[in-house]
Amino acid sequence: MPVPAALAAAVAAASAAGAAGTLTGDPALGGVVVGGCAVLLALSAAELLLRHCARRFGGITGDVLGAVAETAATVTLLVLAVGAT
């Protein structure tokens, strides 16, 4: 995937998460911030894992892609859980 397209997808996902955060009705816009941070941190964790595995294994496999997806989902849920408190 070209870098500009990946950046556009990341911005779109963070914007969508922020827009969904407004539905929480938080007057201080906390939902927007937490939603955007959750997406950005999940993307960062996924990218770090992908780079590590590509360097370590000399490429990526389906198992690596599955681990990346699970890592991103876990980080997202952790950030949303911590942000909800």
Side-chain angles (χ1 to χ4, degrees), residues 2-81:
V3 174
L7 289 175
V11 168
S15 299
T22 61
L23 299 176
T24 62
D26 187 6
L29 295 177
V32 174
V33 173
V34 171
C37 286
V39 170
L40 294 177
L41 288 173
L43 289 173
S44 298
E47 181 66 23
L48 286 172
L49 179 62
L50 184 65
R51 287 178 185 257
H52 172 73
C53 290
R55 185 183 71 243
R56 178 84 172 165
F57 303 140
I60 59 171
T61 64
D63 287 341
V64 170
L65 294 176
V68 166
E70 292 298 322
T71 299
T74 302
V75 169
T76 301
L77 291 173
L78 284 173
V79 171
L80 291 174

